[in-house]
Amino acid sequence: MNIIEITKLSHMFSNGTLALDNIDFKAKRGEFIVIAGCNGSGKTTLLRHLNGLLFPTGGNVIVDGVNVSEDPVRARRIVGMVFQDSDTQIIGETVREDVAFGPENLALYREEIEQRVDEALRVTGLTCLADARPHMLSGGEKRRLAIAGVLAMKPEILAFDEPFSNLDYPGTLQVLKQIIGLHKMGRTIIITTHDLEKVIAHADRLIIMKSGRIAKEGSPERILPDTEMFGIKEPCFSRMGLGMISWLN
Amino acid sequence: MAELTSFSYHPGLSLIHKIDARFKLFFIAAISVSSLNSSLLGISMLFMPVFCGFIIVRISFLEIIKDLYILLIFLIIVFAVRAFSTDGVVLYEGLVEGSVVSLRIILIALLGMLFTSTTRTADVKAAIDWILKPFPFNFKSRISTMTGLMMRFIPIIMEQARETSTAQKARCIENRKNPIYRTARFSIPLLGKIFNNADRISMAMEARCYSDIRTGLKLSSKINDWIALSVIVSICIISVLYL
Protein backbone atom coordinates (compact mmCIF):
# COMPACT_ATOMS: atom_id res chain seq x y z
CA MET A 1 0.00 0.00 0.00
CA ASN A 2 1.27 3.50 -0.82
CA ILE A 3 1.82 5.74 2.19
CA ILE A 4 2.79 8.72 0.01
CA GLU A 5 1.16 9.63 -3.29
CA ILE A 6 2.30 12.74 -5.11
CA THR A 7 0.60 13.67 -8.36
CA LYS A 8 1.63 16.45 -10.75
CA LEU A 9 3.32 18.39 -7.95
CA SER A 10 4.67 21.80 -8.94
CA HIS A 11 6.08 24.52 -6.73
CA MET A 12 6.97 28.02 -7.81
CA PHE A 13 8.74 30.35 -5.38
CA SER A 14 7.58 33.94 -5.01
CA ASN A 15 10.54 35.13 -7.12
CA GLY A 16 9.25 33.09 -10.07
CA THR A 17 11.70 30.18 -9.78
CA LEU A 18 10.05 26.87 -10.65
CA ALA A 19 11.51 24.60 -7.96
CA LEU A 20 9.37 21.52 -8.69
CA ASP A 21 7.89 20.77 -12.06
CA ASN A 22 5.17 18.16 -12.48
CA ILE A 23 6.47 15.53 -10.05
CA ASP A 24 4.73 12.16 -9.78
CA PHE A 25 5.97 9.97 -6.98
CA LYS A 26 4.69 7.14 -4.80
CA ALA A 27 6.24 5.49 -1.75
CA LYS A 28 5.20 2.16 -0.29
CA ARG A 29 4.95 1.61 3.47
CA GLY A 30 8.35 0.44 4.78
CA GLU A 31 10.25 1.43 1.63
CA PHE A 32 13.77 2.92 1.73
CA ILE A 33 14.09 5.63 -0.92
CA VAL A 34 17.09 7.76 -1.77
CA ILE A 35 16.51 10.99 -3.68
CA ALA A 36 19.72 12.27 -5.26
CA GLY A 37 20.52 15.38 -7.24
CA CYS A 38 22.84 18.34 -7.51
CA ASN A 39 22.40 21.44 -5.36
CA GLY A 40 19.26 23.28 -6.44
CA SER A 41 17.67 20.25 -8.10
CA GLY A 42 14.60 20.45 -5.83
CA LYS A 43 15.29 17.62 -3.34
CA THR A 44 14.73 19.68 -0.19
CA THR A 45 11.72 21.48 -1.66
CA LEU A 46 10.14 18.10 -2.47
CA LEU A 47 10.81 16.84 1.06
CA ARG A 48 9.23 19.94 2.60
CA HIS A 49 5.98 19.23 0.79
CA LEU A 50 5.65 15.90 2.58
CA ASN A 51 4.82 17.51 5.93
CA GLY A 52 3.24 20.76 4.84
CA LEU A 53 6.21 23.05 5.42
CA LEU A 54 5.61 24.07 1.82
CA PHE A 55 2.36 23.77 -0.08
CA PRO A 56 2.07 22.92 -3.77
CA THR A 57 1.33 25.62 -6.31
CA GLY A 58 0.03 22.77 -8.48
CA GLY A 59 -0.86 19.11 -7.93
CA ASN A 60 -1.44 17.10 -4.75
CA VAL A 61 0.54 15.53 -1.94
CA ILE A 62 -1.32 12.75 -0.17
CA VAL A 63 0.14 11.19 2.97
CA ASP A 64 -1.56 8.12 4.39
CA GLY A 65 -4.73 8.84 2.41
CA VAL A 66 -5.16 12.52 3.38
CA ASN A 67 -4.16 15.58 1.37
CA VAL A 68 -1.38 17.42 3.23
CA SER A 69 -2.86 20.83 2.36
CA GLU A 70 -6.09 19.87 4.15
CA ASP A 71 -4.43 18.73 7.38
CA PRO A 72 -0.74 19.70 7.62
CA VAL A 73 -0.54 18.98 11.37
CA ARG A 74 -1.56 15.37 10.77
CA ALA A 75 1.08 15.13 8.04
CA ARG A 76 3.72 16.47 10.46
CA ARG A 77 2.81 13.73 12.94
CA ILE A 78 3.19 11.06 10.27
CA VAL A 79 6.28 12.45 8.52
CA GLY A 80 9.14 13.23 10.89
CA MET A 81 11.72 15.45 9.26
CA VAL A 82 15.40 15.60 10.16
CA PHE A 83 16.90 18.80 8.76
CA GLN A 84 20.33 19.25 7.23
CA ASP A 85 21.45 21.68 9.93
CA SER A 86 20.90 19.98 13.30
CA ASP A 87 21.76 23.15 15.22
CA THR A 88 18.65 24.94 14.05
CA GLN A 89 16.48 21.91 14.81
CA ILE A 90 17.55 21.80 18.45
CA ILE A 91 15.27 23.85 20.69
CA GLY A 92 15.80 22.46 24.21
CA GLU A 93 18.41 23.45 26.79
CA THR A 94 19.22 19.82 27.52
CA VAL A 95 19.07 16.69 25.36
CA ARG A 96 16.05 15.38 27.30
CA GLU A 97 14.22 18.69 27.05
CA ASP A 98 14.81 18.86 23.31
CA VAL A 99 13.47 15.35 22.72
CA ALA A 100 10.39 16.25 24.79
CA PHE A 101 9.65 19.33 22.63
CA GLY A 102 7.74 17.37 19.94
CA PRO A 103 5.56 15.26 22.28
CA GLU A 104 4.80 18.40 24.33
CA ASN A 105 3.53 20.02 21.13
CA LEU A 106 1.19 17.05 20.69
CA ALA A 107 -0.28 18.00 24.11
CA LEU A 108 0.30 14.52 25.53
CA TYR A 109 0.19 13.75 29.25
CA ARG A 110 3.48 14.28 31.07
CA GLU A 111 3.84 10.53 31.87
CA GLU A 112 3.53 9.58 28.20
CA ILE A 113 5.97 12.33 27.20
CA GLU A 114 8.56 10.96 29.66
CA GLN A 115 7.98 7.42 28.38
CA ARG A 116 8.43 8.50 24.74
CA VAL A 117 11.54 10.55 25.57
CA ASP A 118 13.16 7.61 27.39
CA GLU A 119 12.36 5.31 24.46
CA ALA A 120 13.72 7.74 21.83
CA LEU A 121 16.91 8.31 23.85
CA ARG A 122 17.37 4.54 24.22
CA VAL A 123 16.88 3.85 20.51
CA THR A 124 19.36 6.58 19.52
CA GLY A 125 21.87 5.64 22.23
CA LEU A 126 21.70 9.05 23.91
CA THR A 127 20.44 7.98 27.34
CA CYS A 128 23.79 8.73 28.98
CA LEU A 129 23.75 12.25 27.49
CA ALA A 130 20.17 13.03 28.58
CA ASP A 131 21.21 15.95 30.80
CA ALA A 132 23.94 17.29 28.51
CA ARG A 133 23.69 20.63 26.74
CA PRO A 134 22.83 19.94 23.05
CA HIS A 135 25.17 22.55 21.62
CA MET A 136 28.15 20.88 23.27
CA LEU A 137 27.53 17.57 21.47
CA SER A 138 29.57 16.36 18.51
CA GLY A 139 28.13 16.54 14.98
CA GLY A 140 27.07 12.87 14.96
CA GLU A 141 25.47 13.15 18.40
CA LYS A 142 23.59 16.29 17.37
CA ARG A 143 22.23 14.51 14.28
CA ARG A 144 21.17 11.57 16.49
CA LEU A 145 19.49 14.03 18.86
CA ALA A 146 17.57 15.50 15.92
CA ILE A 147 16.49 11.93 15.04
CA ALA A 148 15.49 11.26 18.68
CA GLY A 149 13.42 14.46 18.72
CA VAL A 150 11.52 13.26 15.68
CA LEU A 151 11.21 9.63 16.90
CA ALA A 152 9.54 10.77 20.13
CA MET A 153 6.63 11.92 17.96
CA LYS A 154 6.28 8.33 16.66
CA PRO A 155 6.20 9.13 12.93
CA GLU A 156 5.64 6.38 10.35
CA ILE A 157 7.84 8.07 7.76
CA LEU A 158 11.26 9.54 8.43
CA ALA A 159 12.52 12.10 5.93
CA PHE A 160 16.22 12.99 6.18
CA ASP A 161 17.58 16.03 4.38
CA GLU A 162 21.30 15.46 3.64
CA PRO A 163 21.82 13.45 6.84
CA PHE A 164 25.57 12.98 6.35
CA SER A 165 26.55 16.55 5.52
CA ASN A 166 29.29 18.02 7.75
CA LEU A 167 29.81 14.73 9.58
CA ASP A 168 33.15 13.04 10.12
CA TYR A 169 33.59 9.30 9.46
CA PRO A 170 32.51 8.06 12.94
CA GLY A 171 29.57 10.48 12.92
CA THR A 172 28.48 9.23 9.49
CA LEU A 173 28.63 5.60 10.68
CA GLN A 174 26.59 6.42 13.80
CA VAL A 175 23.87 8.12 11.78
CA LEU A 176 23.87 5.45 9.06
CA LYS A 177 23.46 2.66 11.65
CA GLN A 178 20.61 4.62 13.19
CA ILE A 179 18.81 5.03 9.87
CA ILE A 180 19.21 1.35 8.95
CA GLY A 181 17.99 0.32 12.42
CA LEU A 182 14.88 2.48 12.01
CA HIS A 183 14.19 0.97 8.60
CA LYS A 184 14.46 -2.53 10.09
CA MET A 185 11.91 -1.45 12.71
CA GLY A 186 9.47 -0.96 9.81
CA ARG A 187 9.64 2.76 9.21
CA THR A 188 9.49 4.26 5.73
CA ILE A 189 12.75 6.10 5.06
CA ILE A 190 13.28 8.90 2.53
CA ILE A 191 16.75 10.40 2.26
CA THR A 192 17.92 13.26 0.07
CA THR A 193 21.61 13.35 -0.71
CA HIS A 194 24.16 14.13 -3.38
CA ASP A 195 26.59 11.62 -1.86
CA LEU A 196 25.28 8.17 -2.78
CA GLU A 197 28.30 6.16 -1.64
CA LYS A 198 27.31 6.19 2.03
CA VAL A 199 23.73 5.01 1.87
CA ILE A 200 22.73 3.60 -1.52
CA ALA A 201 23.63 -0.02 -0.63
CA HIS A 202 20.64 -0.04 1.76
CA ALA A 203 18.08 1.63 -0.52
CA ASP A 204 15.19 -0.09 -2.30
CA ARG A 205 14.81 2.70 -4.84
CA LEU A 206 16.86 5.57 -6.21
CA ILE A 207 15.31 8.72 -7.62
CA ILE A 208 17.46 11.23 -9.50
CA MET A 209 16.25 14.82 -9.65
CA LYS A 210 17.35 17.51 -12.04
CA SER A 211 15.99 21.05 -12.39
CA GLY A 212 12.89 20.28 -10.32
CA ARG A 213 11.96 17.14 -12.27
CA ILE A 214 12.40 13.42 -11.66
CA ALA A 215 15.02 12.58 -14.26
CA LYS A 216 15.39 8.86 -13.50
CA GLU A 217 13.84 6.39 -11.09
CA GLY A 218 14.35 2.71 -10.36
CA SER A 219 16.42 0.14 -8.50
CA PRO A 220 19.86 1.44 -7.44
CA GLU A 221 21.68 -1.31 -9.40
CA ARG A 222 20.03 -0.15 -12.62
CA ILE A 223 20.36 3.62 -12.10
CA LEU A 224 23.84 3.94 -10.55
CA PRO A 225 25.88 3.66 -13.79
CA ASP A 226 24.03 6.72 -15.18
CA THR A 227 24.29 9.02 -12.16
CA GLU A 228 27.27 11.04 -13.43
CA MET A 229 25.16 12.27 -16.35
CA PHE A 230 23.20 14.19 -13.70
CA GLY A 231 26.20 15.57 -11.82
CA ILE A 232 26.16 12.97 -9.05
CA LYS A 233 29.30 10.97 -8.32
CA GLU A 234 28.91 7.26 -9.05
CA PRO A 235 29.98 5.23 -6.00
CA CYS A 236 33.39 3.52 -6.31
CA PHE A 237 31.95 0.02 -5.85
CA SER A 238 29.59 0.59 -8.76
CA ARG A 239 32.38 1.99 -10.98
CA MET A 240 34.54 -1.00 -10.27
CA GLY A 241 31.67 -3.41 -10.84
CA LEU A 242 31.86 -4.80 -7.31
CA GLY A 243 28.12 -4.85 -6.59
CA MET A 244 26.57 -3.05 -3.63
CA ILE A 245 28.91 -2.51 -0.68
CA SER A 246 27.64 -0.97 2.54
CA TRP A 247 29.71 1.60 4.39
CA LEU A 248 29.11 -0.49 7.50
CA ASN A 249 31.09 -3.42 6.09
CA MET B 1 31.56 22.01 19.30
CA ALA B 2 30.15 25.30 20.59
CA GLU B 3 31.94 27.35 23.22
CA LEU B 4 30.01 27.81 26.45
CA THR B 5 29.62 31.45 27.56
CA SER B 6 28.42 32.70 30.93
CA PHE B 7 25.14 33.70 29.25
CA SER B 8 24.48 30.08 28.22
CA TYR B 9 22.43 27.74 30.33
CA HIS B 10 24.78 25.64 32.47
CA PRO B 11 22.98 22.36 33.27
CA GLY B 12 23.32 21.50 36.95
CA LEU B 13 21.63 20.52 40.17
CA SER B 14 22.80 23.38 42.39
CA LEU B 15 20.61 25.22 44.86
CA ILE B 16 20.27 28.12 42.39
CA HIS B 17 19.24 25.79 39.55
CA LYS B 18 16.52 24.32 41.76
CA ILE B 19 14.93 27.65 42.72
CA ASP B 20 11.56 28.16 41.06
CA ALA B 21 11.86 30.48 38.02
CA ARG B 22 9.01 32.68 39.33
CA PHE B 23 11.01 33.37 42.49
CA LYS B 24 14.14 34.08 40.43
CA LEU B 25 12.24 36.64 38.36
CA PHE B 26 10.96 38.25 41.55
CA PHE B 27 14.51 38.36 42.96
CA ILE B 28 15.76 40.14 39.83
CA ALA B 29 12.95 42.69 40.09
CA ALA B 30 13.43 43.20 43.83
CA ILE B 31 17.23 43.60 43.67
CA SER B 32 17.05 45.89 40.61
CA VAL B 33 14.44 48.17 42.22
CA SER B 34 16.34 48.20 45.52
CA SER B 35 19.53 49.22 43.71
CA LEU B 36 17.75 52.36 42.45
CA ASN B 37 17.19 53.54 46.04
CA SER B 38 20.42 52.37 47.63
CA SER B 39 23.63 54.12 48.55
CA LEU B 40 27.06 52.87 47.47
CA LEU B 41 27.22 50.66 50.57
CA GLY B 42 23.69 49.40 49.98
CA ILE B 43 24.48 48.42 46.38
CA SER B 44 27.64 46.66 47.58
CA MET B 45 25.45 44.62 49.90
CA LEU B 46 23.11 43.73 47.03
CA PHE B 47 26.11 42.21 45.25
CA MET B 48 26.48 39.62 48.04
CA PRO B 49 23.69 37.24 46.99
CA VAL B 50 24.77 37.57 43.34
CA PHE B 51 28.40 36.65 44.11
CA CYS B 52 27.21 33.78 46.35
CA GLY B 53 25.04 32.60 43.46
CA PHE B 54 27.99 32.50 41.05
CA ILE B 55 30.11 30.65 43.62
CA ILE B 56 27.36 28.05 44.14
CA VAL B 57 26.89 27.61 40.38
CA ARG B 58 30.69 27.51 39.91
CA ILE B 59 31.02 30.02 37.13
CA SER B 60 34.45 31.60 37.35
CA PHE B 61 34.74 35.36 37.75
CA LEU B 62 37.39 35.41 35.03
CA GLU B 63 34.86 33.94 32.58
CA ILE B 64 32.31 36.59 33.63
CA ILE B 65 34.81 39.43 33.09
CA LYS B 66 35.73 37.97 29.68
CA ASP B 67 32.06 37.93 28.62
CA LEU B 68 31.31 41.38 30.00
CA TYR B 69 34.43 43.19 28.88
CA ILE B 70 32.61 45.36 26.32
CA LEU B 71 30.14 46.40 29.02
CA LEU B 72 33.06 47.13 31.36
CA ILE B 73 34.66 49.43 28.77
CA PHE B 74 31.33 51.20 28.38
CA LEU B 75 31.05 51.51 32.17
CA ILE B 76 34.47 53.10 32.45
CA ILE B 77 33.22 55.83 30.09
CA VAL B 78 29.97 56.19 32.10
CA PHE B 79 32.00 56.37 35.30
CA ALA B 80 34.32 59.05 33.92
CA VAL B 81 31.45 61.17 32.58
CA ARG B 82 29.54 60.93 35.87
CA ALA B 83 32.64 61.58 37.98
CA PHE B 84 33.50 64.80 36.20
CA SER B 85 29.99 66.14 35.53
CA THR B 86 28.53 65.92 39.03
CA ASP B 87 28.16 69.11 41.06
CA GLY B 88 29.99 69.33 44.37
CA VAL B 89 33.46 68.25 45.39
CA VAL B 90 34.53 66.63 42.10
CA LEU B 91 36.95 64.06 43.41
CA TYR B 92 34.58 62.75 46.06
CA GLU B 93 30.91 63.16 45.13
CA GLY B 94 31.64 62.63 41.46
CA LEU B 95 33.49 59.40 42.13
CA VAL B 96 30.71 58.15 44.43
CA GLU B 97 28.01 59.05 41.91
CA GLY B 98 29.97 57.42 39.05
CA SER B 99 30.53 54.27 41.11
CA VAL B 100 26.84 54.00 42.07
CA VAL B 101 25.67 54.23 38.45
CA SER B 102 28.33 51.81 37.17
CA LEU B 103 27.77 49.28 39.97
CA ARG B 104 24.02 49.41 39.40
CA ILE B 105 24.48 48.46 35.72
CA ILE B 106 26.99 45.71 36.59
CA LEU B 107 24.61 44.35 39.24
CA ILE B 108 21.73 44.10 36.76
CA ALA B 109 23.98 42.49 34.11
CA LEU B 110 25.23 39.92 36.63
CA LEU B 111 21.68 39.17 37.79
CA GLY B 112 20.66 38.52 34.19
CA MET B 113 23.71 36.35 33.64
CA LEU B 114 23.04 34.29 36.77
CA PHE B 115 19.41 33.88 35.73
CA THR B 116 20.15 32.76 32.17
CA SER B 117 22.91 30.39 33.25
CA THR B 118 20.73 28.59 35.80
CA THR B 119 17.23 28.67 34.32
CA ARG B 120 15.95 26.52 31.49
CA THR B 121 13.92 28.12 28.70
CA ALA B 122 10.97 25.88 29.57
CA ASP B 123 11.01 27.17 33.17
CA VAL B 124 11.17 30.80 31.99
CA LYS B 125 8.24 30.16 29.69
CA ALA B 126 6.23 28.52 32.48
CA ALA B 127 7.06 31.38 34.89
CA ILE B 128 6.00 34.08 32.41
CA ASP B 129 2.84 32.09 31.64
CA TRP B 130 2.08 32.14 35.37
CA ILE B 131 2.81 35.86 35.71
CA LEU B 132 0.59 36.71 32.72
CA LYS B 133 -2.27 34.45 33.88
CA PRO B 134 -4.40 37.29 35.38
CA PHE B 135 -4.25 39.34 32.17
CA PRO B 136 -7.14 38.88 29.74
CA PHE B 137 -5.36 39.06 26.36
CA ASN B 138 -5.08 35.98 24.13
CA PHE B 139 -1.43 35.99 23.09
CA LYS B 140 0.02 35.31 26.58
CA SER B 141 1.47 31.98 25.50
CA ARG B 142 3.15 33.61 22.51
CA ILE B 143 4.81 36.25 24.73
CA SER B 144 6.19 33.62 27.09
CA THR B 145 7.46 31.49 24.18
CA MET B 146 9.15 34.47 22.54
CA THR B 147 10.83 35.46 25.81
CA GLY B 148 11.99 31.88 26.39
CA LEU B 149 13.32 31.54 22.85
CA MET B 150 15.05 34.90 23.00
CA MET B 151 16.90 33.83 26.13
CA ARG B 152 17.70 30.50 24.56
CA PHE B 153 19.23 32.00 21.43
CA ILE B 154 21.19 34.95 22.90
CA PRO B 155 24.27 32.73 23.47
CA ILE B 156 24.03 31.45 19.89
CA ILE B 157 23.81 34.98 18.51
CA MET B 158 26.87 35.89 20.59
CA GLU B 159 28.69 32.89 19.20
CA GLN B 160 27.80 33.92 15.65
CA ALA B 161 29.02 37.43 16.37
CA ARG B 162 32.30 35.97 17.60
CA GLU B 163 32.62 33.78 14.47
CA THR B 164 31.88 36.72 12.16
CA SER B 165 34.42 38.86 13.97
CA THR B 166 37.10 36.13 13.78
CA ALA B 167 36.45 35.59 10.06
CA GLN B 168 36.82 39.31 9.44
CA LYS B 169 40.01 39.53 11.49
CA ALA B 170 41.40 36.72 9.35
CA ARG B 171 40.84 39.03 6.37
CA CYS B 172 42.61 41.97 8.07
CA ILE B 173 39.52 44.08 8.89
CA GLU B 174 41.66 45.69 11.59
CA ASN B 175 43.60 47.53 8.88
CA ARG B 176 40.47 49.56 8.15
CA LYS B 177 40.39 52.37 10.69
CA ASN B 178 36.95 53.77 9.85
CA PRO B 179 34.60 52.54 12.66
CA ILE B 180 31.46 53.08 10.54
CA TYR B 181 32.86 50.91 7.74
CA ARG B 182 33.84 48.23 10.25
CA THR B 183 30.47 48.31 12.01
CA ALA B 184 28.60 48.01 8.70
CA ARG B 185 30.85 45.16 7.51
CA PHE B 186 30.30 43.36 10.82
CA SER B 187 26.59 43.92 11.36
CA ILE B 188 25.24 43.22 7.85
CA PRO B 189 26.48 39.60 7.59
CA LEU B 190 25.70 38.99 11.26
CA LEU B 191 22.10 40.19 10.90
CA GLY B 192 21.77 38.11 7.72
CA LYS B 193 22.90 35.00 9.62
CA ILE B 194 20.57 35.74 12.55
CA PHE B 195 17.51 36.18 10.30
CA ASN B 196 18.34 33.05 8.28
CA ASN B 197 18.70 31.07 11.47
CA ALA B 198 15.42 32.44 12.80
CA ASP B 199 13.73 31.25 9.59
CA ARG B 200 15.21 27.77 9.90
CA ILE B 201 14.30 27.52 13.59
CA SER B 202 10.70 28.52 12.98
CA MET B 203 10.48 25.93 10.19
CA ALA B 204 11.98 23.24 12.44
CA MET B 205 9.49 24.15 15.20
CA GLU B 206 6.62 23.97 12.72
CA ALA B 207 7.85 20.55 11.54
CA ARG B 208 7.58 19.37 15.14
CA CYS B 209 3.95 20.52 15.40
CA TYR B 210 4.58 23.62 17.53
CA SER B 211 1.42 25.51 18.52
CA ASP B 212 0.06 27.46 21.49
CA ILE B 213 -1.77 24.36 22.73
CA ARG B 214 0.92 22.16 24.23
CA THR B 215 1.84 20.37 27.43
CA GLY B 216 3.47 22.95 29.65
CA LEU B 217 5.72 22.62 32.64
CA LYS B 218 4.09 22.69 36.08
CA LEU B 219 6.00 24.87 38.53
CA SER B 220 5.77 24.22 42.26
CA SER B 221 7.42 26.20 45.04
CA LYS B 222 9.41 24.40 47.74
CA ILE B 223 10.69 25.35 51.15
CA ASN B 224 14.06 26.43 49.69
CA ASP B 225 12.31 28.96 47.45
CA TRP B 226 10.63 30.58 50.44
CA ILE B 227 13.88 30.62 52.46
CA ALA B 228 15.66 32.28 49.49
CA LEU B 229 12.78 34.75 49.22
CA SER B 230 13.06 35.78 52.87
CA VAL B 231 16.86 36.18 52.57
CA ILE B 232 16.65 38.33 49.43
CA VAL B 233 13.81 40.49 50.77
CA SER B 234 15.76 41.04 54.01
CA ILE B 235 18.90 42.06 52.10
CA CYS B 236 16.88 44.45 49.92
CA ILE B 237 15.21 46.07 52.98
CA ILE B 238 18.53 46.47 54.81
CA SER B 239 20.28 47.91 51.76
CA VAL B 240 17.52 50.46 51.11
CA LEU B 241 16.60 51.47 54.68
CA TYR B 242 19.69 51.03 56.80
CA LEU B 243 22.75 51.53 54.58
Side-chain angles (χ1 to χ4, degrees):
Chain A
M1 187 198 164
N2 294 325
I3 193 161
I4 297 172
E5 288 187 23
I6 294 176
T7 45
K8 300 195 183 306
L9 170 65
S10 297
H11 188 92
M12 188 180 277
F13 287 121
S14 51
N15 63 3
T17 310
L18 187 60
L20 296 176
D21 184 10
N22 220 17
I23 301 263
D24 283 307
F25 162 70
K26 288 183 177 63
K28 290 190 191 109
R29 215 174 275 272
E31 208 175 359
F32 192 131
I33 298 171
V34 172
I35 302 174
C38 297
N39 292 343
S41 58
K43 308 183 294 290
T44 302
T45 310
L46 173 61
L47 223 54
R48 287 182 180 177
H49 278 83
L50 299 181
N51 63 354
L53 292 177
L54 289 175
F55 294 105
T57 46
N60 286 308
V61 180
I62 294 173
V63 171
D64 201 21
V66 176
N67 195 323
V68 173
S69 307
E70 284 167 16
D71 194 351
V73 176
R74 178 183 176 275
R76 285 168 200 156
R77 280 185 203 164
I78 297 173
V79 184
M81 181 169 287
V82 179
F83 289 79
Q84 185 174 354
D85 182 3
S86 310
D87 276 313
T88 50
Q89 190 166 358
I90 295 168
I91 307 290
E93 293 285 5
T94 63
V95 166
R96 171 174 286 279
E97 199 184 301
D98 186 70
V99 178
F101 179 78
E104 281 172 358
N105 291 339
L106 300 179
L108 303 172
Y109 289 111
R110 186 53 63 183
E111 294 74 29
E112 188 174 351
I113 292 172
E114 292 307 320
Q115 193 190 327
R116 284 189 181 205
V117 170
D118 288 339
E119 172 71 7
L121 289 174
R122 190 186 58 73
V123 170
T124 49
L126 290 172
T127 306
C128 56
L129 292 169
D131 295 316
R133 199 171 164 266
H135 291 276
M136 302 305 286
L137 302 179
S138 69
E141 287 166 344
K142 276 184 194 172
R143 204 61 54 96
R144 275 155 61 208
L145 172 57
I147 297 172
V150 167
L151 281 184
M153 296 174 76
K154 298 205 169 168
E156 288 180 51
I157 304 165
L158 282 158
F160 295 87
D161 189 10
E162 300 280 2
F164 309 112
S165 64
N166 303 326
L167 290 187
D168 57 11
Y169 181 57
T172 304
L173 289 185
Q174 283 175 9
V175 173
L176 183 58
K177 276 182 197 164
Q178 202 71 69
I179 293 171
I180 293 162
L182 292 169
H183 182 233
K184 281 183 183 158
M185 286 161 72
R187 295 221 162 75
T188 308
I189 306 283
I190 300 174
I191 293 180
T192 67
T193 185
H194 56 260
D195 185 4
L196 291 172
E197 186 110 30
K198 292 164 185 166
V199 70
I200 197 64
H202 303 277
D204 300 318
R205 188 151 48 115
L206 172 61
I207 294 172
I208 307 278
M209 288 191 71
K210 192 182 179 188
S211 310
R213 285 172 167 269
I214 292 182
K216 226 165 173 60
E217 184 179 2
S219 71
E221 291 86 351
R222 193 169 63 80
I223 306 279
L224 278 180
D226 300 331
T227 52
E228 301 215 347
M229 279 162 49
F230 303 99
I232 305 156
K233 187 179 174 291
E234 185 184 351
C236 283
F237 55 76
S238 168
R239 253 183 213 199
M240 297 166 79
L242 298 175
M244 292 287 181
I245 299 175
S246 167
W247 252 47
L248 300 179
N249 292 342
Chain B
M1 211 178 259
E3 194 180 339
L4 201 67
T5 69
S6 312
F7 284 104
S8 319
Y9 174 68
H10 290 56
L13 297 167
S14 75
L15 191 68
I16 311 289
H17 282 88
K18 286 178 186 165
I19 291 177
D20 188 319
R22 293 169 295 181
F23 283 77
K24 286 186 198 172
L25 284 173
F26 175 76
F27 297 160
I28 292 177
I31 294 175
S32 304
V33 171
S34 303
S35 75
L36 295 175
N37 298 307
S38 298
S39 62
L40 185 59
L41 199 61
I43 290 180
S44 309
M45 189 173 174
L46 290 173
F47 269 95
M48 272 172 43
V50 183
F51 283 143
C52 291
F54 279 113
I55 291 166
I56 293 169
V57 178
R58 293 185 182 176
I59 294 178
S60 83
F61 289 104
L62 254 176
E63 197 186 326
I64 296 167
I65 292 168
K66 200 179 88 186
D67 287 331
L68 287 181
Y69 83 98
I70 293 175
L71 178 70
L72 294 177
I73 293 168
F74 166 73
L75 285 180
I76 290 168
I77 299 167
V78 171
F79 177 78
V81 170
R82 276 284 179 164
F84 294 104
S85 64
T86 306
D87 294 336
V89 186
V90 171
L91 277 180
Y92 180 72
E93 284 178 25
L95 288 179
V96 170
E97 184 66 20
S99 305
V100 166
V101 172
S102 305
L103 286 176
R104 204 176 275 154
I105 296 171
I106 293 176
L107 178 67
I108 292 167
L110 290 178
L111 277 170
M113 198 181 247
L114 188 59
F115 181 71
T116 53
S117 58
T118 59
T119 317
R120 296 179 310 157
T121 314
D123 291 317
V124 179
K125 185 187 175 305
I128 296 173
D129 269 338
W130 184 84
I131 291 166
L132 295 178
K133 212 185 255 179
F135 296 98
F137 47 84
N138 289 328
F139 46 93
K140 287 179 282 191
S141 169
R142 213 154 277 185
I143 293 176
S144 56
T145 306
M146 290 303 156
T147 316
L149 280 176
M150 198 171 69
M151 267 186 60
R152 163 74 178 71
F153 288 102
I154 283 175
I156 295 176
I157 292 170
M158 287 174 70
E159 201 182 300
Q160 282 174 341
R162 201 176 296 166
E163 268 174 27
T164 308
S165 158
T166 310
Q168 295 194 344
K169 276 181 192 163
R171 295 170 70 192
C172 301
I173 188 80
E174 281 151 328
N175 288 347
R176 305 296 290 250
K177 300 295 175 205
N178 183 344
I180 296 169
Y181 175 87
R182 282 172 66 165
T183 309
R185 288 288 165 179
F186 174 74
S187 48
I188 293 167
L190 178 63
L191 286 173
K193 270 188 199 173
I194 292 169
F195 289 132
N196 278 336
N197 263 351
D199 261 355
R200 287 197 209 114
I201 289 161
S202 69
M203 191 170 272
M205 287 172 74
E206 214 177 318
R208 288 166 82 185
C209 300
Y210 179 77
S211 73
D212 288 345
I213 304 158
R214 63 193 304 272
T215 312
L217 209 67
K218 276 187 184 150
L219 296 172
S220 60
S221 58
K222 296 182 187 70
I223 185 77
N224 281 346
D225 300 323
W226 293 102
I227 293 171
L229 178 71
S230 53
V231 171
I232 297 291
V233 169
S234 310
I235 289 173
C236 289
I237 292 171
I238 293 168
S239 70
V240 173
L241 298 182
Y242 300 104
L243 293 174

